[in-house]
């Protein structure tokens, strides 16, 4: 555990709070099923993914080295039967102040180390429904800010930015409150908050100063998304201007009698 904590520049307790654990690598001959020709799996740092109520819905695996799956090399896998969920520490995630919604476990751990209220989304666009459940009772004066990564592609695609906007819109609609979005502050080649914290740490900045600077930059550059305007309501309650059914019957009766009188008068005319 200390090895991963040193890599992420966080206290071991942060990883314990997130439920991170080490899974030993497989060795040849293990009874666990493997696809034909697939090498035994390396060790992995596993951690739970949760829904908005705190229940575990899946287990994410951060592999110790790259493995090939479906023809691609990756170090991120999920345990069989897992569903995507949020990464957060149910008992200690809320530290007051603004709530930052970042991508993944490592960004969440970095913000926890800085003393910031943080919740990890499973990827750039997912997690809005679970976040809405988790944040439903958040005080109305607390800021909610979705942080996107600086991962713009050569062809113009920008998953981090577009995902942050998507999640912020969904949250604003479901929570009925403004939700902000912003990109990780520019700092060298840092594309996410973990890399940003690593750069600041290496430059000698204390954690409390880094936290204040990060929050200031994110809030200053955020764009707020307001919830949709409520639909107009129609008051169906009876008022003094509304004619009752009995009044309508009486008026109709009077009109019929009037028409009968008119018909009798016309019938007596000499043409």
């Amino acid at each position: 555990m200390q090895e991963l904590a040193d890599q992420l520049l966080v206290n071991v307790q942060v990883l314990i709070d997130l439920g991170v654990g080490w899974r030993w690598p497989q060795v040849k001959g293990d009874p666990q099923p493997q696809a034909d020709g697939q090498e035994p799996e390396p060790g992995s740092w596993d951690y739970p993914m949760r829904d908005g109520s705190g229940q575990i819905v899946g287990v994410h695996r951060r592999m110790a080295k790259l493995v090939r799956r479906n023809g691609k090399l990756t170090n991120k896998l999920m345990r069989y039967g897992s569903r995507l969920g949020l990464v957060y520490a149910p008992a200690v995630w809320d530290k007051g102040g603004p709530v930052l919604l970042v991508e993944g476990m490592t960004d969440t751990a970095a913000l926890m180390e800085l003393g910031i209220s943080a919740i990890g989304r499973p990827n750039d666009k997912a997690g809005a429904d679970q976040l809405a459940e988790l944040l439903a009772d958040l005080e109305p004066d607390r800021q909610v800010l979705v942080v996107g990564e600086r991962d713009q592609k050569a062809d113009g695609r920008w998953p981090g930015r577009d995902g942050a906007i998507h999640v912020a819109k969904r949250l604003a609609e479901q929570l009925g409150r403004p939700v902000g979005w912003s990109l990780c502050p520019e700092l060298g080649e840092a594309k996410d908050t973990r890399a940003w914290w690593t750069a600041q740490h290496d430059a000698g900045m204390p954690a409390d100063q880094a936290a204040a600077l990060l929050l200031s930059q994110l809030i200053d550059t955020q764009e707020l998304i307001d919830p949709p305007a409520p639909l107009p309501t129609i008051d169906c309650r009876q008022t003094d201007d509304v004619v009752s059914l009995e009044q309508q019957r009486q008026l109709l009766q009077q009109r019929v009698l009037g028409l009968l009188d008119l018909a009798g008068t016309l019938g007596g005319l000499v043409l």
Side-chain angles (χ1 to χ4, degrees), residues 25-182:
Q26 286 180 304
V27 296
K28 289 187 179 297
D30 274 357
Q32 301 183 46
Q34 298 177 13
D36 291 341
Q38 180 175 302
E39 289 296 318
E41 291 182 349
S44 61
W45 296 105
D46 295 4
Y47 53 89
M49 295 179 289
R50 304 176 184 272
D51 62 17
S53 70
Q55 295 297 311
I56 295 175
V57 297
V59 175
H60 196 282
R61 306 183 61 195
R62 179 184 174 90
M63 311 304 291
K65 65 178 183 179
L66 294 174
V67 295
R68 186 173 297 277
R69 292 292 184 271
N70 300 320
K72 297 181 179 179
L73 289 174
T74 182
N75 70 336
K76 298 177 181 179
L77 297 177
M78 292 175 61
R79 295 285 291 177
Y80 179 78
S82 294
R83 292 186 288 117
L84 290 177
L86 307 175
V87 182
Y88 65 102
V92 298
W93 76 264
D94 191 353
K95 302 179 184 298
V99 180
L100 302 190
L101 311 177
V102 293
E103 287 187 44
M105 183 272 288
T106 58
D107 281 15
T108 305
L111 294 185
M112 290 174 64
E113 178 68 17
L114 298 181
I116 297 173
S117 299
I119 304 168
R121 294 140 44 210
N123 56 41
D124 51 358
K125 289 187 175 181
D129 294 341
Q130 296 157 324
L131 287 166
E133 179 183 6
L134 178 59
L135 301 175
D137 297 325
L138 189 71
E139 298 90 335
D141 60 339
R142 300 273 300 277
Q143 288 182 290
V144 179
L145 180 58
V146 185
V147 182
E149 296 187 356
R150 292 188 174 275
D151 56 357
Q152 187 173 13
K153 311 301 181 185
D155 59 5
R157 292 181 299 112
W158 200 331
R161 179 198 62 189
D162 297 343
I165 295 172
H166 171 80
V167 173
K169 286 181 177 179
R170 289 286 305 277
L171 269 182
E173 178 180 354
Q174 295 188 57
L175 294 176
R177 62 187 291 171
V179 174
W181 74 270
S182 185

Side-chain angles (χ1 to χ4, degrees), residues 197-212:
W197 162 233
T198 298
Q200 297 291 12
H201 176 274
D202 292 347
M205 180 175 289
D208 57 344
Q209 293 184 23

